[in-house]
Amino acid sequence: MSYLIDIILIAVGAALINNFVLYYFVGICPFIGVSRRVDMAFGMGCAVTFVISIAAFLSWTITTYVLMPGAPLSKWIAGFFVPADVAAKIDLTILSYIVYIFAIASSVQFVEMYVRKFYPPLYKSFGVFLPLITTNCAILFACLKIMGNIIGVDNPADAWDLGRSLTLAVFGGVGFTIAIVIMAGIREELDLCDIPKPFQGAAITLVVAGILAMAFMGFTGVDSGLQKALTSQAGASTAENKNADINVGMSKFIIENQPIDENIPKG
Amino acid sequence: MSWVTISLSAGTMVGMAVILSYVLGWANKTFHVEVDPRVEAINNALPGANCGGCGYVGCSEYAEAVVAGEAPVNKCSVGGKSCAAALADVMGIEVKESYPYRPIVHCGAHYDDRLGRNEYYGEKRCLAANLVTDIQGCAYGCLGFGDCQVACNYDAIHVIDGLATVDYEKCIGCGACAKVCPRNIITIVPFKAEKILAVTCSNQDAGKDVMSVCKVGCIGCKACARISDLFKMDENLSKVDYDAYPLECSVELMNAVEKCPRNGIVFVGKPSAKDLAAVADEELPEVVEPDFKTTVDDTKWRG
């Protein structure tokens, strides 16, 4: 149960609360570059989600089995040459960046070939942006975040498993898709607007992105509330009382506010 | 200890390289797509302006259509004849005579000629202004906010005194202006001569109604159509049949032009040598070029 709650929290966190584009401001290049039309933006979002999932799978596997201190594969190989206690301490995390870029570049190449073979129209609409996913920092960011949650934890039992890592990657990609599609929708509307010359193009897009990011700040704190709600439902009896309290509080709030509501002029 | 780490790092990289290159090599073979070498050759022969004048999204799309046999080789108006010849060479076919396609603005009314104009405080774009009625009496004519001027990547169309005017010296015929015009008064026609005839009006209303909104618009009097078969009447509007346009200008045609009571049939196109000679002795104002050599103000202080 707590695992499921963890997964839900990671998913909501990656997609909405700590949105890759709008909270961490990574992956801005395609966010600005391909957000001209909604259908293309959606295609780009899908491609990024796909690549990010493959890259996360690869990076989790490599980090867990090769890179981290005491990883099984490197420990086993080193065990032939040095004593076991020394072998268990061998730390290859310095390789993380180069290995991740390696994995990302390969998976992008793979996706490009796959898309070209089976979805030629999508391949055509991507054009130059598909290879550009290679340098999309959102993907490297996801890999590094996964690494941080494998190596950076104090208790080895808290290290993320493949399920959590893939959840972060997939929902990070979904969050990227949400952000870029919203952006594309806004930019399609912006085409009809009389924008001052210095603001045209990337400038107004960045301004809009900033406002969008502020709007997404509204999700802050949703995770703790969600966690509270989920855990309280898990633990039955006390939760009901709490919910009742909340309900009473809410109805009180609504009743208190009713006269004010009527004073607000309609329309 | 350290040499174990070093060799393990190297081993990791080599192992990844071997595994991933094997996977990619397999994918390359499995997902291989046959590409016609002619597509590449045609792509190289095309100008690469990606203007969309041929009706395809970009040069590479047009190249694919040519190889597939869906498009003729002479569609590229930017590359012109030499490009068509190069494409025909790649495809191994003979190229027929091709004419450059250029836009014609089917409106001849400047601000003074348009009647029933009202103040417009909205967005200064044709697309927006076209949604509003009564900006000017004529619901067909040029609005003069210059959407076409913005759309043109070649600085070849300008709004002069409220009327979009094509600069045929610069125009390459991509058709961006025709696509963007909300009133569809710009058409792309084959220029069989340097200068060709055009009816500079799009108003399809009856003559009396045209008179009430415009000083120069076509009133549908059929005078030109009676003299020459080249002019066809369509909804109270004379239209030039460009498919039947003669290569040499005939006397009959000139009579039709002169007969037009509104002087609405005019020649458009590049100025010929004769035109240039005609204005040679006229004193034209010199074009003043801005001089950015220095920003220092050398006017003396006379305080």
Side-chain angles (χ1 to χ4, degrees):
Chain A
M1 193 62 199
S2 74
Y3 182 73
L4 192 64
I5 290 168
D6 218 18
I7 291 281
I8 292 170
L9 287 177
I10 290 170
V12 175
L16 294 175
I17 303 157
N18 297 341
N19 191 298
F20 280 13
V21 179
L22 298 172
Y23 185 83
Y24 292 111
F25 270 85
V26 291
I28 291 296
C29 164
F31 183 64
I32 304 293
V34 201
S35 60
R36 223 166 268 278
R37 275 178 24 231
V38 169
D39 49 345
M40 263 183 81
F42 185 71
M44 187 70 191
C46 290
V48 167
T49 310
F50 194 50
V51 171
I52 220 170
S53 313
I54 294 178
F57 171 73
L58 285 176
S59 67
W60 183 85
T61 314
I62 295 164
T63 313
T64 315
Y65 290 105
V66 183
L67 297 186
M68 68 184 243
L73 197 63
S74 48
K75 196 169 131 188
W76 177 65
I77 294 172
F80 290 113
F81 307 102
V82 287
D85 57 328
V86 179
K89 280 180 195 158
I90 284 178
D91 186 2
L92 294 180
T93 43
I94 41 154
L95 288 179
S96 57
Y97 280 83
I98 191 167
V99 163
Y100 293 159
I101 287 291
F102 206 159
I104 293 166
S106 311
S107 43
V108 168
Q109 277 295 313
F110 188 83
V111 170
E112 191 177 352
M113 287 179 212
Y114 185 80
V115 169
R116 191 173 182 193
K117 175 79 178 175
F118 294 107
Y119 306 101
L122 198 62
Y123 178 76
K124 229 175 249 174
S125 68
F126 280 154
V128 73
F129 292 108
L130 197 54
L132 272 183
I133 298 179
T134 312
T135 52
N136 186 340
C137 45
I139 294 164
L140 184 63
F141 176 78
C143 292
L144 290 173
K145 206 161 184 226
I146 288 165
M147 186 189 89
N149 279 305
I150 295 172
I151 294 164
V153 290
D154 299 329
N155 182 9
D158 290 342
W160 276 13
D161 61 346
L162 186 58
R164 288 192 179 91
S165 309
L166 279 180
T167 309
L168 175 90
V170 171
F171 282 90
V174 168
F176 180 85
T177 312
I178 291 172
I180 199 172
V181 167
I182 291 175
M183 192 67 206
I186 293 172
R187 280 186 82 175
E188 279 187 357
E189 297 291 318
L190 276 180
D191 277 350
L192 287 172
C193 295
D194 187 16
I195 302 160
K197 211 149 207 180
F199 274 112
Q200 277 171 8
I204 190 77
T205 315
L206 283 173
V207 171
V208 170
I211 296 169
L212 206 56
M214 273 203 276
F216 266 68
M217 290 278 278
F219 285 115
T220 313
V222 170
D223 50 349
S224 60
L226 200 63
Q227 192 176 16
K228 227 178 254 170
L230 288 170
T231 44
S232 65
Q233 268 183 12
S237 60
T238 50
E240 253 171 47
N241 287 335
K242 246 186 199 172
N243 276 350
D245 278 355
I246 292 167
N247 282 341
V248 169
M250 279 305 284
S251 53
K252 218 178 178 182
F253 179 75
I254 290 163
I255 291 162
E256 276 170 4
N257 276 296
Q258 255 175 358
I260 302 169
D261 267 355
E262 278 168 10
N263 286 340
I264 295 167
K266 282 183 180 105
Chain B
M1 169 69 190
S2 64
W3 64 266
V4 175
T5 312
I6 291 168
S7 44
L8 262 181
S9 309
T12 309
M13 296 310 295
V14 171
M16 271 191 76
V18 169
I19 294 169
L20 288 174
S21 54
Y22 183 79
V23 170
L24 284 182
W26 168 81
N28 196 18
K29 219 176 223 176
T30 317
F31 302 144
H32 186 63
V33 181
E34 291 285 338
V35 178
D36 200 320
R38 289 181 296 177
V39 174
E40 182 90 349
I42 287 182
N43 250 331
N44 290 338
L46 285 169
N50 286 324
C51 64
C54 49
Y56 293 88
V57 174
C59 287
S60 56
E61 197 137 309
Y62 173 57
E64 273 166 32
V66 168
V67 170
E70 290 161 6
V73 293
N74 56 6
K75 274 263 182 178
C76 184
S77 57
V78 181
K81 268 183 197 166
S82 62
C83 177
L87 260 58
D89 205 33
V90 173
M91 293 298 292
I93 52 171
E94 291 278 314
V95 63
K96 282 185 199 157
E97 183 77 25
S98 71
Y99 301 107
Y101 278 74
R102 296 287 180 266
I104 287 178
V105 181
H106 290 282
C107 181
H110 296 274
Y111 278 141
D112 304 339
D113 304 322
R114 298 184 202 155
L115 307 173
R117 281 173 55 75
N118 289 309
E119 288 278 356
Y120 172 65
Y121 293 107
E123 200 179 334
K124 298 277 187 253
R125 291 184 64 184
C126 304
L127 189 63
N130 193 33
L131 303 172
V132 188
T133 183
D134 271 351
I135 286 180
Q136 61 192 33
C138 181
Y140 299 88
C142 182
L143 286 159
F145 292 115
D147 277 15
C148 44
Q149 189 175 332
V150 175
C152 185
N153 285 330
Y154 302 90
D155 191 32
I157 188 162
H158 301 279
V159 175
I160 297 171
D161 199 13
L163 177 63
T165 314
V166 181
D167 183 350
Y168 290 95
E169 298 273 356
K170 288 180 184 166
C171 182
I172 56 107
C174 69
C177 49
K179 268 176 220 153
V180 82
C181 181
R183 295 198 151 178
N184 296 322
I185 59 168
I186 306 177
T187 55
I188 304 289
V189 301
F191 267 50
K192 294 188 180 174
E194 284 279 281
K195 291 173 78 72
I196 67 170
L197 283 174
V199 178
T200 56
C201 186
S202 309
N203 199 320
Q204 298 179 342
D205 292 341
K208 195 168 154 257
D209 299 330
V210 177
M211 289 247 213
S212 68
V213 295
C214 186
K215 286 184 191 166
V216 294
C218 174
I219 51 174
C221 64
K222 303 188 182 70
C224 47
R226 269 196 292 269
I227 295 174
S228 170
D229 288 339
L230 190 64
F231 299 95
K232 295 272 186 308
M233 295 309 293
D234 179 22
E235 303 259 346
N236 291 317
L237 178 65
S238 165
K239 282 185 178 165
V240 178
D241 185 2
Y242 287 106
D243 290 332
Y245 197 84
L247 293 173
E248 294 285 322
C249 191
S250 62
V251 181
E252 184 190 271
L253 262 181
M254 289 312 294
N255 282 341
V257 171
E258 271 159 31
K259 198 80 179 173
C260 181
R262 310 280 277 179
N263 294 327
I265 305 171
V266 295
F267 279 99
V268 294
K270 283 183 188 168
S272 62
K274 210 170 129 194
D275 295 333
L276 291 175
V279 294
D281 12 309
E282 277 182 38
E283 271 192 29
L284 295 173
E286 268 183 41
V287 180
V288 181
E289 297 282 342
D291 182 13
F292 295 116
K293 267 183 217 144
T294 173
T295 54
V296 178
D297 187 4
D298 54 1
T299 47
K300 282 188 185 132
W301 175 248
R302 294 181 204 281

